[in-house]
Amino acid sequence: MVSCCTITSFLCLLAGNLVGMGAVLAYLLTMTPTGAIWMSAVLVFAYTVAGGLYSVAYTDVLQAAVGWLGCMTLAFYSIKNEKITAPPPSIGFPSYKYPDDTTCEMYDGVPCENDVTACCYNTDKWCPSDNKCFYDNGAYPFGDQSHFTDQMTNAYSLTPFPNAVVFNWANIFVLAFGNLAGTL
């Protein structure tokens, strides 16, 4: 039972990775997604047959070295080029309550409807009509609202980057059941 779950899990992982690689190749080479997935499968098969486990191990070492080099380069670059400035406060959105008087004055805030002692987003100024609003979602705790509403269901919502969350849904569930079976 555990072996079946593990095999199924890795097949789903392979399928998700092939679809992801296919999405990238389809975008880069301007070809159909199906053709790109088949091209990905052929490349993976040829690579595995040609080198076997040794090629996988050497590739992992090379990828780790490149990853560490990139991480260290980014860390040193970030430290060297650090700027002590912060972005301006959030302009907010309809019914957003400003955290302080300075931000309220900056964006011409108005007294809130429910609490006149607090200062809120000026809907009349920043949102004169439904399709002409000026706002941002950077305001805690509402800042994590989706900008791409279909990114959990549409594999191409973040094109040209493959949406790994969608591609690996099956893998997530199969791995969970495989791990559960392994613990029993």
Side-chain angles (χ1 to χ4, degrees), residues 61-75:
V61 169
L62 179 64
Q63 287 176 345
V66 170
W68 276 105
L69 178 67
C71 182
M72 291 295 141
T73 303
L74 179 64

Side-chain angles (χ1 to χ4, degrees), residues 67-82:
W68 276 105
L69 178 67
C71 182
M72 291 295 141
T73 303
L74 179 64
F76 285 115
Y77 176 81
S78 298
I79 291 169
K80 184 174 189 255
N81 296 307
E82 178 183 20

Side-chain angles (χ1 to χ4, degrees), residues 152-176:
M152 294 300 282
T153 56
N154 180 1
Y156 296 97
S157 67
L158 303 176
T159 299
F161 306 105
N163 192 346
V165 173
V166 174
F167 292 138
N168 288 320
W169 269 114
N171 185 48
I172 292 167
F173 290 118
V174 172
L175 277 175

Side-chain angles (χ1 to χ4, degrees), residues 6-39:
T6 303
I7 290 169
T8 304
S9 169
F10 279 100
L11 285 176
C12 291
L13 178 64
L14 175 64
N17 288 333
L18 288 177
V19 172
M21 187 176 170
V24 171
L25 286 177
Y27 178 79
L28 293 176
L29 303 176
T30 59
M31 57 190 306
T32 65
T34 305
I37 292 169
W38 279 107
M39 178 187 271

Side-chain angles (χ1 to χ4, degrees), residues 13-143:
L13 178 64
L14 175 64
N17 288 333
L18 288 177
V19 172
M21 187 176 170
V24 171
L25 286 177
Y27 178 79
L28 293 176
L29 303 176
T30 59
M31 57 190 306
T32 65
T34 305
I37 292 169
W38 279 107
M39 178 187 271
S40 301
V42 168
L43 287 171
V44 169
F45 180 77
Y47 173 78
T48 305
V49 168
L53 187 57
Y54 287 113
S55 65
V56 173
Y58 287 129
T59 301
D60 287 347
V61 169
L62 179 64
Q63 287 176 345
V66 170
W68 276 105
L69 178 67
C71 182
M72 291 295 141
T73 303
L74 179 64
F76 285 115
Y77 176 81
S78 298
I79 291 169
K80 184 174 189 255
N81 296 307
E82 178 183 20
K83 294 180 182 170
I84 309 297
T85 59
S90 170
I91 190 173
F93 46 86
S95 75
Y96 174 67
K97 183 172 145 182
Y98 290 118
D100 55 37
D101 291 335
T102 306
T103 308
C104 178
E105 291 172 12
M106 180 186 299
Y107 296 120
D108 297 325
V110 296
C112 298
E113 291 178 17
N114 298 332
D115 181 6
V116 292
T117 61
C119 184
C120 285
Y121 177 87
N122 189 342
T123 306
D124 294 333
K125 178 177 182 176
W126 298 108
C127 196
S129 66
D130 287 340
N131 59 354
K132 298 257 189 211
C133 284
F134 296 96
Y135 62 90
D136 62 29
N137 286 342
Y140 177 82
F142 306 103

